[in-house]
Structures are given as structure tokens and as C-alpha cells.
Amino acid sequence: MLRMTSTLPGVDRPAAGLSALLKAVSAGRMQATVRELAGDRYAGRRVGTPGGQAAAIWLIERLGELGAATALSGFDVAGVRELYATPVLEWSTSGQAQRLQHRRDFVEHLASADLAHTHSAPLAAVSEADLHGRWVLAGAADWGRACELAEAHGAVGVLTVRGTDAEGWMPKMIAGPPARQVPVIALRTEVHARLAEALASGPVQVTASMPLRQITTRGHNVHARFPHPAQGDASRVRVLLSAHYDGVGDDPDRRLPAAADNASGVAAVLEAARVLTAAPLGALELMVAFLDAEEAGAWGSAHHAPTLPPDTLVINLDGAAQLHEAAAVEAGGPAHALLATLDRAARLTGVPLKAGAMASDNRRYAAAGLAAIGVGMGMPGYQTPAETPDRVQPDTLLTAARLLVATVMLLIT
């Protein structure tokens, strides 16, 4: 397991040249990038949307200003969940109706079939014999069985249970298991309990819609390559800094800014590239990839990874918004030497590290046989309307960008 790092007495101090580079990292510039990408005109940056494509163009322009040769690389993405209207859910008993709030009280289940218009029907417990023409109330453990019964007996759909985050939001996701043949709606735990209690006391009528469809769309990776030594230079070090720029996209009636996940990571990578390319890089071949469709299953990195030379060293940053005790690090592929360099860079810059799961694009690169490390530094408001730019901490942005700069510089010295 990766040990915690710290600035203890006797630990290496950065050389003067590296210290100057670390001081050149600008929190203000990174905050401006986060605010830009979280802005209204990008509409949450979901893959295949005009907002996502506009974000890619904006990033191409910024990388071009740094002197990089840039390109967009397109690829198809299947199975993206698209919520094309605001879902409705209400229930009534004894003539009194209660209308629930989407993303607070209930949310789309990713296995749901499309239900474009509201359908009213009685509610039944999953244990009841007659489910035909009824909504079925199921628990978290038996929702799959409830779907099978609903499909077999002609039920309207299934209501199951799902928790919320600490702030009471039900986060949005756009990739999941195959769709069932019936609508599936997830209720907040407390709402599910109230509904079960009401059903135990008497008849309950449920009215709901779930306008959720699966689409195939087009993703676009942003690639940048900075001037590098001649191809025959045996001392060349090839490094890729990557971060996904896509988000899950806005709801039809609500903004999901995606500031932490992953405008923050993009901002830190962009700033690290700016600082690095202003310095003599010697034998470094520096590449940057801003990846699309991570939220839909890491399709962007899956498309990109097989195209890279086998000696490419990959550092992927997913989340640089709120560092608590330590940055989470996951190494994959032949990454032992790269991990040791990252650990030394963390000691030089005072960044505590811990081994932790980083289920992001780094895994696609590692699966392709590349030395790949994923780094994460927190995502407050993860995939909810509360994921706003003001919650991205300037100190965490500085920490992330400086760690990247220090790691790359140590790789070439």
C-alpha cells in the first residue's frame, strides 16, 4: 500500500528551478477555468451535446495558445441515458395527493424503460399475487426480482429505494445496466418507507412518468502535443497528462454545473501544462488529453489508449476540488517507477497521498498495458446541482497542479 507522504525534516526540498515553477502556478487562472466550464453555455458538458462540444472547442483554443499541436478525435458512444423531460411522481391515499421532487425525493433508475407520459395505477407490494396493471413497491435487494415479476405479470412499473448524499441530493448518472421492459423509479429511503407504511394501511394510487431513453451519440477527445526532442533521442520521456472534461449534463429543468467533476481536474492539468511549457523541458515529450464520455463508461480513454506508444507514462486527474486528509492514488500497468516519482514529488510539494480506488480513465490506459496513475482530490456536490464553482477550493487546485508539475520535472531530471 502506498504510504502517506509528508514534509518531514530531512525530506528533499525542491531545487531552485522547480521552486520557481511551483510558484508560477496560478490559483486564479484555474478558478477562471472552472467557472468557464461550469457556465450556463456548456449545460453540464454531457457527451454528444452542444455544450459538450463547445467545451471541447474552448479547450482546443486554450491548448493552442500554449503552443501545442491540437486535434479533436471523434468516436461513437452507445447506451447513454438521456432524461429528455422532467419525471413526475406523486401518490395519493384517502384522496390526499403528495407530489414528489425529482432528484430530492426520487430519481431515474438506470435500468428503467422509457415512460414518456404519466401513468396512474394502484400500488402493490412485490409479495402480492396480483400485480397486473399496478405499480410494484420493492426493496433495494429485490428490485431485480420485482422487475421480472412486473414484466411477467403486466405490471406498470417498479418503485425501489436509493439513498441520498449528505446534502439530500440523489446524484445523476448516465451509464448503467441494460434497460428492463418496465419503468423503474428509485425513491429516497424515507419516501420509500412512508409509501410502504401507507400501503400497509390501505389503497395507494401512484402517478408517474420516467422520460428516460438510451441514445447513441458522438464523443470528442481533445488532444495536444507540445514540441519535443527529435524522435531518435534515446533519453526522451513521454508523458501524458489527462482529465475528462465531460459531465453528466443538465437536467431538463435544473443546472448540474459539474465544477468538481471534472472541471477542477481539467483546470489543474491545463495550468500544469502552461507552467511546464514555459520552462526548458529537455528530453520531455509532453502530451495532454482532455477526454470525453468518462461519465458514460470511460469511452474516451478506451478510444485513445490503444493509439499511444507503449512507453507513455500516464497521469490522470479526476477531481481536484476538496482535499481532505490525502489525495487518493491508484496505479495500474507497469507503473512502479512512475508511482515512486509521484511519491517523491508529493514529498517535495507537501501533498499527502494514500492508496485508493480511482475508477476513472486511468484504468483504461492501464488495461492497454501503459504505466498509468489515477489521482483524485475530492468532488464536493458530486453529480448534483450543488456541484458549483464556489465549492472548488483554490488551495486544492494549487496542490493538484503543483503535484503534476513536480512529478513531470522529476521524470526528466
Side-chain angles (χ1 to χ4, degrees):
M1 178 176 289
L2 186 71
R3 65 183 182 274
M4 298 287 287
T5 59
S6 60
T7 51
L8 298 172
V11 173
D12 291 344
R13 296 288 187 261
L18 178 55
S19 293
L21 291 180
L22 299 180
K23 289 178 182 178
V25 175
S26 167
R29 207 170 354 251
M30 288 185 283
Q31 287 177 290
T33 297
V34 171
R35 287 193 298 270
E36 173 69 27
L37 292 174
D40 292 350
R41 79 184 184 103
Y42 302 111
R45 308 188 307 279
R46 201 209 75 197
V47 59
T49 61
Q53 293 166 17
I57 296 302
W58 188 84
L59 290 168
I60 281 273
E61 292 171 350
R62 302 292 78 75
L63 289 164
E65 291 169 356
L66 299 180
T70 59
L72 280 177
S73 177
F75 54 94
D76 291 331
V77 184
V80 177
R81 272 57 167 186
E82 182 175 71
L83 195 67
Y84 59 90
T86 302
V88 171
L89 180 59
E90 62 181 43
W91 60 280
S92 60
T93 182
S94 302
Q96 294 192 354
Q98 298 189 43
R99 189 169 182 118
L100 304 180
Q101 184 180 0
H102 178 239
R103 214 157 295 288
R104 284 292 196 182
D105 300 318
F106 75 100
V107 74
E108 59 276 7
H109 193 290
L110 293 174
S112 181
D114 185 13
L115 181 62
H117 305 292
T118 55
H119 191 120
S120 296
L123 183 66
V126 69
S127 58
E128 294 186 34
D130 182 15
L131 301 179
H132 181 77
R134 306 174 80 178
W135 287 99
V136 180
L137 186 65
D142 62 356
W143 76 269
R145 175 61 178 159
C147 289
E148 293 174 359
L149 292 171
E151 292 163 353
H153 294 281
V156 175
V158 172
L159 305 181
T160 184
V161 63
R162 178 176 150 192
T164 66
D165 68 9
E167 298 170 349
W169 290 104
M170 303 179 81
K172 181 177 183 178
M173 292 174 282
I174 60 171
R180 306 298 309 216
Q181 298 173 33
V182 294
V184 186
I185 301 174
L187 308 177
R188 196 179 81 226
T189 304
E190 298 86 349
V191 173
H192 187 275
R194 290 202 305 269
L195 200 54
E197 182 179 351
L199 182 60
S201 301
V204 176
Q205 189 80 3
V206 170
T207 299
S209 68
M210 186 45 64
L212 182 73
R213 59 193 171 200
Q214 294 193 39
I215 65 168
T216 296
T217 188
R218 190 81 173 157
H220 293 89
N221 287 338
V222 174
H223 300 301
R225 186 183 300 272
F226 293 89
H228 59 84
Q231 295 292 329
D233 189 340
S235 65
R236 179 184 56 197
V237 177
R238 183 182 284 114
V239 177
L240 171 69
L241 301 180
S242 64
H244 76 89
Y245 71 88
D246 65 304
V248 293
D250 288 351
D251 281 343
D253 64 347
R254 199 189 299 269
R255 291 259 23 240
L256 281 85
D261 182 23
N262 187 33
S264 65
V266 169
V269 168
L270 185 63
E271 179 65 4
R274 185 193 70 82
V275 170
L276 286 166
T277 55
L281 296 181
L284 176 66
E285 180 180 338
L286 180 63
M287 297 175 289
V288 168
F290 292 133
L291 302 162
D292 203 357
E294 191 270 353
E295 303 293 357
W299 288 70
S301 49
H303 174 73
H304 185 220
T307 71
L308 293 172
D311 61 345
T312 304
L313 306 176
V314 182
I315 306 174
N316 183 74
L317 182 60
D318 195 355
Q322 190 177 74
L323 182 63
H324 291 294
E325 294 181 356
V329 175
E330 178 180 304
H336 298 294
L338 178 59
L339 183 61
T341 305
L342 180 80
D343 186 61
R344 186 183 170 206
R347 291 176 179 275
L348 289 173
T349 56
V351 184
L353 304 179
K354 66 177 181 181
M358 284 300 302
S360 187
D361 292 302
N362 47 286
R363 292 187 176 178
R364 294 288 199 180
Y365 292 112
L370 302 173
I373 289 178
V375 180
M377 297 188 185
M379 297 177 181
Y382 175 69
Q383 294 182 344
T384 74
E387 194 185 335
T388 51
D390 60 290
R391 303 188 68 183
V392 177
Q393 298 176 345
D395 286 349
T396 302
L397 290 170
L398 284 171
T399 295
R402 287 170 175 166
L403 179 63
L404 295 177
V405 169
T407 303
V408 172
M409 293 305 294
L410 290 176
L411 287 169
I412 60 173
T413 56

